[in-house]
Amino acid sequence: MTAFSFACIGVRADRYAAGPTLVFRLRVTAGDNAHVHALALRCQIRIEPARRSYESAEADGLADLFGERSRWGSTLQPVQFAQVSLMVPSFTGEIEADLVVPCTYDMEIAATRYLTALTDGEVPLLMLFSGTAFTGAGGFQVEPVPWDREAAFRMPVATWREMVEQHFPGCGWIRLPRDTMDALLAYRSRRALASWEATLKALLDADSAADPPRSDPLRALTSTTGRTDP
């Protein structure tokens, strides 16, 4: 079997992508300068949070993922970041290729919450490779890429922030249940509020002034959960 090795030599934010996207630069090496007709790769990317240190502010932001810092010895487990495929074209010995990774800014995703909590430094990543290789100098044969192929990489936090700012400058996202969205739409419609920012600000101001029950503040401020006409 051909001995394959992998290394990640860089990462950049794709400013021309339709959504948040990172592009990792991979170097693929085939042992003994072997000829490879094509390489169908699967790559799983994990965040390895135990491989870096954290400032106090970062630790506070990670409390919902890993608990108090005193528990991190047992709770600081790997976090799934992405799983993508890549078709590498024909090469002999060594080649470089781009691994395109679509990302999300959904704060319900553990990886997004982790990355958002970081203020500086690097993100410790582990890339796990598998797949199928089509090889042979004088013929054609099919062989698997072993499951133990991997590459460690430290992605700058600044690259993640650059990617997010390209698509959501100065913004964040909150995912809400449908009935809560209907209540917000009704509240905005009845008060003819110009934007979602104005809607939430009005709710927060009303909450501060009237201090409604904490269990369900939206229903305390709205008389219906259905959408009304603008």
Side-chain angles (χ1 to χ4, degrees), residues 89-122:
S90 176
F91 68 97
T92 299
E94 185 175 278
I95 191 174
E96 293 184 4
D98 286 338
L99 181 68
V100 179
V101 180
C103 301
T104 178
Y105 197 38
D106 186 346
M107 293 300 292
E108 296 296 320
I109 306 299
T112 304
R113 297 209 307 275
Y114 173 86
L115 291 162
T116 302
L118 302 184
T119 58
D120 203 358
E122 298 173 326

PDB file of all heavy atoms in Angstrom, residues 89-122:
ATOM      1  N   PRO A  89      -6.528  15.804  -7.521  1.00  0.00           N
ATOM      2  CA  PRO A  89      -6.223  15.333  -8.879  1.00  0.00           C
ATOM      3  C   PRO A  89      -4.917  14.539  -8.935  1.00  0.00           C
ATOM      4  O   PRO A  89      -4.219  14.365  -7.928  1.00  0.00           O
ATOM      5  CB  PRO A  89      -6.115  16.637  -9.670  1.00  0.00           C
ATOM      6  CG  PRO A  89      -5.686  17.654  -8.661  1.00  0.00           C
ATOM      7  CD  PRO A  89      -6.363  17.259  -7.377  1.00  0.00           C
ATOM      8  N   SER A  90      -4.575  14.089 -10.114  1.00  0.00           N
ATOM      9  CA  SER A  90      -3.386  13.264 -10.330  1.00  0.00           C
ATOM     10  C   SER A  90      -2.108  13.988  -9.910  1.00  0.00           C
ATOM     11  O   SER A  90      -1.946  15.190 -10.159  1.00  0.00           O
ATOM     12  CB  SER A  90      -3.310  12.876 -11.811  1.00  0.00           C
ATOM     13  OG  SER A  90      -2.124  12.163 -12.081  1.00  0.00           O
ATOM     14  N   PHE A  91      -1.205  13.245  -9.274  1.00  0.00           N
ATOM     15  CA  PHE A  91       0.090  13.808  -8.893  1.00  0.00           C
ATOM     16  C   PHE A  91       1.089  12.681  -8.689  1.00  0.00           C
ATOM     17  O   PHE A  91       0.733  11.499  -8.579  1.00  0.00           O
ATOM     18  CB  PHE A  91      -0.031  14.640  -7.608  1.00  0.00           C
ATOM     19  CG  PHE A  91      -0.334  13.841  -6.364  1.00  0.00           C
ATOM     20  CD1 PHE A  91       0.683  13.444  -5.510  1.00  0.00           C
ATOM     21  CD2 PHE A  91      -1.644  13.493  -6.042  1.00  0.00           C
ATOM     22  CE1 PHE A  91       0.414  12.715  -4.351  1.00  0.00           C
ATOM     23  CE2 PHE A  91      -1.925  12.764  -4.885  1.00  0.00           C
ATOM     24  CZ  PHE A  91      -0.895  12.370  -4.039  1.00  0.00           C
ATOM     25  N   THR A  92       2.335  13.054  -8.637  1.00  0.00           N
ATOM     26  CA  THR A  92       3.416  12.113  -8.352  1.00  0.00           C
ATOM     27  C   THR A  92       4.239  12.649  -7.180  1.00  0.00           C
ATOM     28  O   THR A  92       4.761  13.765  -7.256  1.00  0.00           O
ATOM     29  CB  THR A  92       4.336  11.929  -9.573  1.00  0.00           C
ATOM     30  OG1 THR A  92       3.567  11.400 -10.663  1.00  0.00           O
ATOM     31  CG2 THR A  92       5.477  10.966  -9.264  1.00  0.00           C
ATOM     32  N   GLY A  93       4.264  11.896  -6.117  1.00  0.00           N
ATOM     33  CA  GLY A  93       5.077  12.264  -4.968  1.00  0.00           C
ATOM     34  C   GLY A  93       4.401  13.215  -3.999  1.00  0.00           C
ATOM     35  O   GLY A  93       4.162  12.866  -2.844  1.00  0.00           O
ATOM     36  N   GLU A  94       4.065  14.429  -4.454  1.00  0.00           N
ATOM     37  CA  GLU A  94       3.516  15.424  -3.535  1.00  0.00           C
ATOM     38  C   GLU A  94       2.665  16.435  -4.291  1.00  0.00           C
ATOM     39  O   GLU A  94       2.934  16.735  -5.460  1.00  0.00           O
ATOM     40  CB  GLU A  94       4.658  16.140  -2.812  1.00  0.00           C
ATOM     41  CG  GLU A  94       4.233  17.118  -1.736  1.00  0.00           C
ATOM     42  CD  GLU A  94       5.416  17.704  -0.989  1.00  0.00           C
ATOM     43  OE1 GLU A  94       5.930  17.045  -0.058  1.00  0.00           O
ATOM     44  OE2 GLU A  94       5.848  18.820  -1.342  1.00  0.00           O
ATOM     45  N   ILE A  95       1.645  16.951  -3.611  1.00  0.00           N
ATOM     46  CA  ILE A  95       0.763  17.957  -4.206  1.00  0.00           C
ATOM     47  C   ILE A  95       0.164  18.804  -3.093  1.00  0.00           C
ATOM     48  O   ILE A  95       0.054  18.363  -1.947  1.00  0.00           O
ATOM     49  CB  ILE A  95      -0.366  17.292  -5.044  1.00  0.00           C
ATOM     50  CG1 ILE A  95      -1.112  18.316  -5.884  1.00  0.00           C
ATOM     51  CG2 ILE A  95      -1.330  16.548  -4.136  1.00  0.00           C
ATOM     52  CD1 ILE A  95      -2.138  17.703  -6.843  1.00  0.00           C
ATOM     53  N   GLU A  96      -0.213  20.042  -3.425  1.00  0.00           N
ATOM     54  CA  GLU A  96      -0.949  20.900  -2.516  1.00  0.00           C
ATOM     55  C   GLU A  96      -2.352  21.125  -3.064  1.00  0.00           C
ATOM     56  O   GLU A  96      -2.536  21.246  -4.283  1.00  0.00           O
ATOM     57  CB  GLU A  96      -0.230  22.235  -2.316  1.00  0.00           C
ATOM     58  CG  GLU A  96       1.094  22.106  -1.579  1.00  0.00           C
ATOM     59  CD  GLU A  96       1.757  23.444  -1.293  1.00  0.00           C
ATOM     60  OE1 GLU A  96       1.138  24.501  -1.612  1.00  0.00           O
ATOM     61  OE2 GLU A  96       2.879  23.451  -0.765  1.00  0.00           O
ATOM     62  N   ALA A  97      -3.328  21.161  -2.164  1.00  0.00           N
ATOM     63  CA  ALA A  97      -4.725  21.316  -2.572  1.00  0.00           C
ATOM     64  C   ALA A  97      -5.482  22.109  -1.523  1.00  0.00           C
ATOM     65  O   ALA A  97      -5.101  22.132  -0.343  1.00  0.00           O
ATOM     66  CB  ALA A  97      -5.379  19.951  -2.772  1.00  0.00           C
ATOM     67  N   ASP A  98      -6.563  22.769  -1.938  1.00  0.00           N
ATOM     68  CA  ASP A  98      -7.405  23.556  -1.031  1.00  0.00           C
ATOM     69  C   ASP A  98      -8.548  22.701  -0.496  1.00  0.00           C
ATOM     70  O   ASP A  98      -9.273  22.065  -1.270  1.00  0.00           O
ATOM     71  CB  ASP A  98      -7.983  24.773  -1.754  1.00  0.00           C
ATOM     72  CG  ASP A  98      -6.937  25.865  -1.981  1.00  0.00           C
ATOM     73  OD1 ASP A  98      -5.931  25.878  -1.255  1.00  0.00           O
ATOM     74  OD2 ASP A  98      -7.135  26.689  -2.888  1.00  0.00           O
ATOM     75  N   LEU A  99      -8.707  22.706   0.806  1.00  0.00           N
ATOM     76  CA  LEU A  99      -9.832  22.050   1.463  1.00  0.00           C
ATOM     77  C   LEU A  99     -10.818  23.131   1.884  1.00  0.00           C
ATOM     78  O   LEU A  99     -10.535  23.932   2.784  1.00  0.00           O
ATOM     79  CB  LEU A  99      -9.357  21.259   2.679  1.00  0.00           C
ATOM     80  CG  LEU A  99     -10.432  20.505   3.463  1.00  0.00           C
ATOM     81  CD1 LEU A  99     -10.981  19.353   2.631  1.00  0.00           C
ATOM     82  CD2 LEU A  99      -9.881  19.981   4.794  1.00  0.00           C
ATOM     83  N   VAL A 100     -11.961  23.184   1.217  1.00  0.00           N
ATOM     84  CA  VAL A 100     -12.963  24.235   1.455  1.00  0.00           C
ATOM     85  C   VAL A 100     -13.927  23.771   2.542  1.00  0.00           C
ATOM     86  O   VAL A 100     -14.554  22.709   2.417  1.00  0.00           O
ATOM     87  CB  VAL A 100     -13.720  24.560   0.149  1.00  0.00           C
ATOM     88  CG1 VAL A 100     -14.769  25.629   0.400  1.00  0.00           C
ATOM     89  CG2 VAL A 100     -12.737  25.012  -0.926  1.00  0.00           C
ATOM     90  N   VAL A 101     -14.060  24.583   3.590  1.00  0.00           N
ATOM     91  CA  VAL A 101     -14.884  24.216   4.745  1.00  0.00           C
ATOM     92  C   VAL A 101     -15.949  25.283   4.978  1.00  0.00           C
ATOM     93  O   VAL A 101     -15.648  26.370   5.485  1.00  0.00           O
ATOM     94  CB  VAL A 101     -14.026  24.046   6.011  1.00  0.00           C
ATOM     95  CG1 VAL A 101     -14.898  23.677   7.200  1.00  0.00           C
ATOM     96  CG2 VAL A 101     -12.943  22.994   5.789  1.00  0.00           C
ATOM     97  N   PRO A 102     -17.213  25.027   4.601  1.00  0.00           N
ATOM     98  CA  PRO A 102     -18.292  25.960   4.944  1.00  0.00           C
ATOM     99  C   PRO A 102     -18.492  26.003   6.462  1.00  0.00           C
ATOM    100  O   PRO A 102     -18.421  24.979   7.133  1.00  0.00           O
ATOM    101  CB  PRO A 102     -19.516  25.358   4.235  1.00  0.00           C
ATOM    102  CG  PRO A 102     -18.949  24.402   3.227  1.00  0.00           C
ATOM    103  CD  PRO A 102     -17.678  23.887   3.810  1.00  0.00           C
ATOM    104  N   CYS A 103     -18.740  27.195   6.988  1.00  0.00           N
ATOM    105  CA  CYS A 103     -18.886  27.374   8.430  1.00  0.00           C
ATOM    106  C   CYS A 103     -20.244  27.996   8.748  1.00  0.00           C
ATOM    107  O   CYS A 103     -20.973  28.427   7.858  1.00  0.00           O
ATOM    108  CB  CYS A 103     -17.765  28.266   8.980  1.00  0.00           C
ATOM    109  SG  CYS A 103     -16.100  27.621   8.695  1.00  0.00           S
ATOM    110  N   THR A 104     -20.561  28.055  10.016  1.00  0.00           N
ATOM    111  CA  THR A 104     -21.819  28.635  10.461  1.00  0.00           C
ATOM    112  C   THR A 104     -21.557  29.594  11.613  1.00  0.00           C
ATOM    113  O   THR A 104     -20.564  29.456  12.331  1.00  0.00           O
ATOM    114  CB  THR A 104     -22.809  27.549  10.911  1.00  0.00           C
ATOM    115  OG1 THR A 104     -24.016  28.178  11.376  1.00  0.00           O
ATOM    116  CG2 THR A 104     -22.234  26.723  12.056  1.00  0.00           C
ATOM    117  N   TYR A 105     -22.475  30.563  11.768  1.00  0.00           N
ATOM    118  CA  TYR A 105     -22.397  31.464  12.916  1.00  0.00           C
ATOM    119  C   TYR A 105     -23.581  31.212  13.851  1.00  0.00           C
ATOM    120  O   TYR A 105     -23.978  32.061  14.619  1.00  0.00           O
ATOM    121  CB  TYR A 105     -22.368  32.921  12.451  1.00  0.00           C
ATOM    122  CG  TYR A 105     -21.896  33.896  13.503  1.00  0.00           C
ATOM    123  CD1 TYR A 105     -20.864  33.565  14.382  1.00  0.00           C
ATOM    124  CD2 TYR A 105     -22.478  35.146  13.621  1.00  0.00           C
ATOM    125  CE1 TYR A 105     -20.433  34.456  15.346  1.00  0.00           C
ATOM    126  CE2 TYR A 105     -22.050  36.054  14.577  1.00  0.00           C
ATOM    127  CZ  TYR A 105     -21.029  35.703  15.435  1.00  0.00           C
ATOM    128  OH  TYR A 105     -20.608  36.583  16.394  1.00  0.00           O
ATOM    129  N   ASP A 106     -24.146  30.018  13.752  1.00  0.00           N
ATOM    130  CA  ASP A 106     -25.246  29.614  14.612  1.00  0.00           C
ATOM    131  C   ASP A 106     -24.703  29.360  16.016  1.00  0.00           C
ATOM    132  O   ASP A 106     -23.911  28.436  16.232  1.00  0.00           O
ATOM    133  CB  ASP A 106     -25.897  28.352  14.052  1.00  0.00           C
ATOM    134  CG  ASP A 106     -27.144  27.940  14.815  1.00  0.00           C
ATOM    135  OD1 ASP A 106     -27.378  28.453  15.933  1.00  0.00           O
ATOM    136  OD2 ASP A 106     -27.898  27.094  14.297  1.00  0.00           O
ATOM    137  N   MET A 107     -25.149  30.144  16.990  1.00  0.00           N
ATOM    138  CA  MET A 107     -24.622  30.037  18.346  1.00  0.00           C
ATOM    139  C   MET A 107     -25.123  28.802  19.089  1.00  0.00           C
ATOM    140  O   MET A 107     -24.712  28.551  20.218  1.00  0.00           O
ATOM    141  CB  MET A 107     -24.958  31.305  19.142  1.00  0.00           C
ATOM    142  CG  MET A 107     -24.252  32.544  18.640  1.00  0.00           C
ATOM    143  SD  MET A 107     -22.443  32.409  18.711  1.00  0.00           S
ATOM    144  CE  MET A 107     -22.190  32.409  20.484  1.00  0.00           C
ATOM    145  N   GLU A 108     -26.019  28.013  18.452  1.00  0.00           N
ATOM    146  CA  GLU A 108     -26.428  26.751  19.051  1.00  0.00           C
ATOM    147  C   GLU A 108     -25.402  25.651  18.790  1.00  0.00           C
ATOM    148  O   GLU A 108     -25.452  24.593  19.412  1.00  0.00           O
ATOM    149  CB  GLU A 108     -27.797  26.323  18.499  1.00  0.00           C
ATOM    150  CG  GLU A 108     -28.937  27.267  18.841  1.00  0.00           C
ATOM    151  CD  GLU A 108     -29.193  27.334  20.337  1.00  0.00           C
ATOM    152  OE1 GLU A 108     -29.140  26.290  21.000  1.00  0.00           O
ATOM    153  OE2 GLU A 108     -29.414  28.461  20.842  1.00  0.00           O
ATOM    154  N   ILE A 109     -24.488  25.892  17.852  1.00  0.00           N
ATOM    155  CA  ILE A 109     -23.456  24.919  17.511  1.00  0.00           C
ATOM    156  C   ILE A 109     -22.288  25.066  18.480  1.00  0.00           C
ATOM    157  O   ILE A 109     -21.780  26.166  18.688  1.00  0.00           O
ATOM    158  CB  ILE A 109     -22.978  25.105  16.059  1.00  0.00           C
ATOM    159  CG1 ILE A 109     -24.176  25.065  15.100  1.00  0.00           C
ATOM    160  CG2 ILE A 109     -21.952  24.052  15.688  1.00  0.00           C
ATOM    161  CD1 ILE A 109     -24.942  23.775  15.116  1.00  0.00           C
ATOM    162  N   ALA A 110     -21.840  23.943  19.048  1.00  0.00           N
ATOM    163  CA  ALA A 110     -20.789  23.989  20.066  1.00  0.00           C
ATOM    164  C   ALA A 110     -19.507  24.622  19.534  1.00  0.00           C
ATOM    165  O   ALA A 110     -18.862  25.423  20.231  1.00  0.00           O
ATOM    166  CB  ALA A 110     -20.514  22.582  20.593  1.00  0.00           C
ATOM    167  N   ALA A 111     -19.107  24.276  18.315  1.00  0.00           N
ATOM    168  CA  ALA A 111     -17.869  24.823  17.756  1.00  0.00           C
ATOM    169  C   ALA A 111     -17.949  26.341  17.612  1.00  0.00           C
ATOM    170  O   ALA A 111     -16.962  27.051  17.864  1.00  0.00           O
ATOM    171  CB  ALA A 111     -17.580  24.180  16.400  1.00  0.00           C
ATOM    172  N   THR A 112     -19.106  26.856  17.215  1.00  0.00           N
ATOM    173  CA  THR A 112     -19.268  28.300  17.069  1.00  0.00           C
ATOM    174  C   THR A 112     -19.188  28.987  18.428  1.00  0.00           C
ATOM    175  O   THR A 112     -18.552  30.040  18.565  1.00  0.00           O
ATOM    176  CB  THR A 112     -20.610  28.625  16.396  1.00  0.00           C
ATOM    177  OG1 THR A 112     -20.687  27.951  15.144  1.00  0.00           O
ATOM    178  CG2 THR A 112     -20.751  30.115  16.162  1.00  0.00           C
ATOM    179  N   ARG A 113     -19.822  28.418  19.439  1.00  0.00           N
ATOM    180  CA  ARG A 113     -19.751  29.010  20.774  1.00  0.00           C
ATOM    181  C   ARG A 113     -18.321  29.018  21.286  1.00  0.00           C
ATOM    182  O   ARG A 113     -17.873  29.986  21.906  1.00  0.00           O
ATOM    183  CB  ARG A 113     -20.657  28.246  21.744  1.00  0.00           C
ATOM    184  CG  ARG A 113     -22.131  28.312  21.383  1.00  0.00           C
ATOM    185  CD  ARG A 113     -23.052  28.203  22.589  1.00  0.00           C
ATOM    186  NE  ARG A 113     -22.800  27.046  23.413  1.00  0.00           N
ATOM    187  CZ  ARG A 113     -23.309  25.829  23.191  1.00  0.00           C
ATOM    188  NH1 ARG A 113     -24.070  25.633  22.127  1.00  0.00           N
ATOM    189  NH2 ARG A 113     -23.076  24.835  24.016  1.00  0.00           N
ATOM    190  N   TYR A 114     -17.591  27.946  21.014  1.00  0.00           N
ATOM    191  CA  TYR A 114     -16.196  27.882  21.444  1.00  0.00           C
ATOM    192  C   TYR A 114     -15.373  28.977  20.763  1.00  0.00           C
ATOM    193  O   TYR A 114     -14.650  29.736  21.421  1.00  0.00           O
ATOM    194  CB  TYR A 114     -15.620  26.506  21.115  1.00  0.00           C
ATOM    195  CG  TYR A 114     -14.139  26.400  21.368  1.00  0.00           C
ATOM    196  CD1 TYR A 114     -13.643  26.079  22.630  1.00  0.00           C
ATOM    197  CD2 TYR A 114     -13.217  26.638  20.351  1.00  0.00           C
ATOM    198  CE1 TYR A 114     -12.279  26.001  22.872  1.00  0.00           C
ATOM    199  CE2 TYR A 114     -11.860  26.565  20.580  1.00  0.00           C
ATOM    200  CZ  TYR A 114     -11.388  26.239  21.846  1.00  0.00           C
ATOM    201  OH  TYR A 114     -10.036  26.178  22.068  1.00  0.00           O
ATOM    202  N   LEU A 115     -15.478  29.067  19.444  1.00  0.00           N
ATOM    203  CA  LEU A 115     -14.674  30.026  18.696  1.00  0.00           C
ATOM    204  C   LEU A 115     -15.028  31.467  19.039  1.00  0.00           C
ATOM    205  O   LEU A 115     -14.163  32.336  19.094  1.00  0.00           O
ATOM    206  CB  LEU A 115     -14.853  29.778  17.195  1.00  0.00           C
ATOM    207  CG  LEU A 115     -14.235  28.468  16.688  1.00  0.00           C
ATOM    208  CD1 LEU A 115     -14.816  28.089  15.329  1.00  0.00           C
ATOM    209  CD2 LEU A 115     -12.729  28.588  16.604  1.00  0.00           C
ATOM    210  N   THR A 116     -16.311  31.734  19.290  1.00  0.00           N
ATOM    211  CA  THR A 116     -16.741  33.078  19.639  1.00  0.00           C
ATOM    212  C   THR A 116     -16.187  33.502  20.989  1.00  0.00           C
ATOM    213  O   THR A 116     -15.933  34.689  21.226  1.00  0.00           O
ATOM    214  CB  THR A 116     -18.280  33.155  19.641  1.00  0.00           C
ATOM    215  OG1 THR A 116     -18.780  32.768  18.353  1.00  0.00           O
ATOM    216  CG2 THR A 116     -18.766  34.563  19.949  1.00  0.00           C
ATOM    217  N   ALA A 117     -15.983  32.552  21.892  1.00  0.00           N
ATOM    218  CA  ALA A 117     -15.478  32.877  23.229  1.00  0.00           C
ATOM    219  C   ALA A 117     -14.000  33.254  23.235  1.00  0.00           C
ATOM    220  O   ALA A 117     -13.523  33.899  24.177  1.00  0.00           O
ATOM    221  CB  ALA A 117     -15.708  31.700  24.171  1.00  0.00           C
ATOM    222  N   LEU A 118     -13.267  32.874  22.192  1.00  0.00           N
ATOM    223  CA  LEU A 118     -11.830  33.146  22.155  1.00  0.00           C
ATOM    224  C   LEU A 118     -11.568  34.595  21.751  1.00  0.00           C
ATOM    225  O   LEU A 118     -12.209  35.126  20.845  1.00  0.00           O
ATOM    226  CB  LEU A 118     -11.138  32.204  21.169  1.00  0.00           C
ATOM    227  CG  LEU A 118     -11.306  30.704  21.417  1.00  0.00           C
ATOM    228  CD1 LEU A 118     -10.477  29.915  20.416  1.00  0.00           C
ATOM    229  CD2 LEU A 118     -10.922  30.328  22.842  1.00  0.00           C
ATOM    230  N   THR A 119     -10.608  35.214  22.410  1.00  0.00           N
ATOM    231  CA  THR A 119     -10.286  36.609  22.123  1.00  0.00           C
ATOM    232  C   THR A 119      -9.013  36.768  21.306  1.00  0.00           C
ATOM    233  O   THR A 119      -8.839  37.775  20.624  1.00  0.00           O
ATOM    234  CB  THR A 119     -10.143  37.405  23.435  1.00  0.00           C
ATOM    235  OG1 THR A 119      -9.113  36.801  24.236  1.00  0.00           O
ATOM    236  CG2 THR A 119     -11.454  37.392  24.221  1.00  0.00           C
ATOM    237  N   ASP A 120      -8.113  35.800  21.370  1.00  0.00           N
ATOM    238  CA  ASP A 120      -6.835  35.920  20.675  1.00  0.00           C
ATOM    239  C   ASP A 120      -6.159  34.549  20.622  1.00  0.00           C
ATOM    240  O   ASP A 120      -6.689  33.565  21.147  1.00  0.00           O
ATOM    241  CB  ASP A 120      -5.935  36.921  21.404  1.00  0.00           C
ATOM    242  CG  ASP A 120      -4.863  37.505  20.494  1.00  0.00           C
ATOM    243  OD1 ASP A 120      -4.800  37.097  19.320  1.00  0.00           O
ATOM    244  OD2 ASP A 120      -4.095  38.365  20.955  1.00  0.00           O
ATOM    245  N   GLY A 121      -4.992  34.517  19.992  1.00  0.00           N
ATOM    246  CA  GLY A 121      -4.218  33.279  19.965  1.00  0.00           C
ATOM    247  C   GLY A 121      -4.603  32.376  18.815  1.00  0.00           C
ATOM    248  O   GLY A 121      -4.943  32.844  17.715  1.00  0.00           O
ATOM    249  N   GLU A 122      -4.569  31.069  19.060  1.00  0.00           N
ATOM    250  CA  GLU A 122      -4.789  30.082  18.019  1.00  0.00           C
ATOM    251  C   GLU A 122      -5.808  29.029  18.455  1.00  0.00           C
ATOM    252  O   GLU A 122      -5.992  28.794  19.648  1.00  0.00           O
ATOM    253  CB  GLU A 122      -3.465  29.389  17.661  1.00  0.00           C
ATOM    254  CG  GLU A 122      -2.413  30.339  17.096  1.00  0.00           C
ATOM    255  CD  GLU A 122      -1.069  29.661  16.901  1.00  0.00           C
ATOM    256  OE1 GLU A 122      -0.734  28.771  17.710  1.00  0.00           O
ATOM    257  OE2 GLU A 122      -0.354  30.036  15.957  1.00  0.00           O
TER     258      GLU A 122
END
